[in-house]
Amino acid sequence: GVVNHLPARLYYNIGEYKIAVKHFEQGMYMAQKDGNRIMFYSELGNLGMAFNALGKYKEAKNCLEESSTACRDLGNVQGEIAQLQALGNIYRNLSEYEAAIIAYNRAIMISERERDITSLCNSLGNAASAYNHTNRPDEAIKYLNRGIKIAFAIGDKQSEGSMLCSFGIAYSQKGDNEKAKQFIQNSINTTRMIGDKQGECMALHNLSNINLNFKEFDECLKNATSSLQIAQEIGIMPSIAQAYYNIGNCYLFKGDLQLANQNLNLALDISKQIYGTESPQLIPILKSILQADNYRENMEFGKVNHV
């Protein structure tokens, strides 16, 4: 079981989630065969985290609901903290941000009580990300200032890279574009140095978001395309959809409607597969597609100026 657990964690940490899933499943089989319930439910939770990273939220939620209850009942404190963090990630990916914040803050409380510095560092970073999603940059920065000190102290480069990106998002929300770009570029450098493909993918995507907001379309295309290539390589479907969305919007603003529609519809199709056809996640994509259709219609009647 341990022989499968160790490579599974390593593959997970560098963003090779499909390979990690195979090892987690084999680890669960060995734990079940040995009658080791603590190991079994720990691996079930890890499997849920890998499914979450792949955008398989239903499967992830099923794994984590079962494993979190079992870890609490078995007195597996480390497992409970990990499951709370993972559940928070799923809530965040489903846009249930307040539920995510509650889960993360409970993980922070338990980590502090148990003096688990590594888990505390991760939970602070995750909570900051949820605050960024709800446009509360000052709250995010407060958590990040605390978390990144721990990351530096324990040499956790993966958390450092993630938090640098979150700092960039927070400062972008506060309107400090140059500071935001610098933080995210530092995140890209850090994640590349340690081979954290998911971290690099997310940092490139968030840099492309800033480029798009400030109408830096060529830079946005470059960064979104780089993000897309990594997301396709490691199979992160939500990141693939997000990259297509940014690329589509770039082409829309540049006036290339064929490429705009092509990329936006790819983003829509993938998002429907992940979130379902009624999800609020589809609204911005549908708005951009409608904008492209209206732009085309107005062009045909000579009513539009260059965007």
Side-chain angles (χ1 to χ4, degrees), residues 204-241:
L204 285 163
H205 170 68
N206 280 293
L207 186 55
S208 76
N209 285 343
I210 294 174
N211 296 143
L212 189 60
N213 288 338
F214 286 88
K215 300 183 179 180
E216 300 164 347
F217 300 128
D218 290 337
E219 283 298 303
C220 180
L221 277 173
K222 182 183 78 172
N223 291 317
T225 300
S226 296
S227 174
L228 175 62
Q229 290 170 345
I230 297 171
Q232 289 174 326
E233 178 187 346
I234 60 179
I236 308 178
M237 297 307 291
S239 296
I240 293 173

Side-chain angles (χ1 to χ4, degrees), residues 271-272 275-283 286:
S271 297
K272 284 180 178 178
Y275 306 108
T277 57
E278 303 298 325
S279 171
Q281 298 273 9
L282 307 182
I283 293 173
L286 291 168

Side-chain angles (χ1 to χ4, degrees), residues 50-68:
F51 280 141
N52 180 53
L54 289 167
K56 297 182 177 181
Y57 300 138
K58 183 178 179 181
E59 293 92 332
K61 198 170 183 179
N62 289 339
C63 289
L64 288 160
E65 284 176 345
E66 182 178 351
S67 63
S68 60

Side-chain angles (χ1 to χ4, degrees), residues 155-176:
D156 186 346
K157 302 300 287 185
Q158 188 176 29
S159 291
E160 179 187 333
S162 175
M163 289 184 193
L164 287 168
C165 184
S166 290
F167 267 119
I169 296 167
Y171 280 108
S172 176
Q173 290 177 359
K174 289 171 71 69
D176 193 336

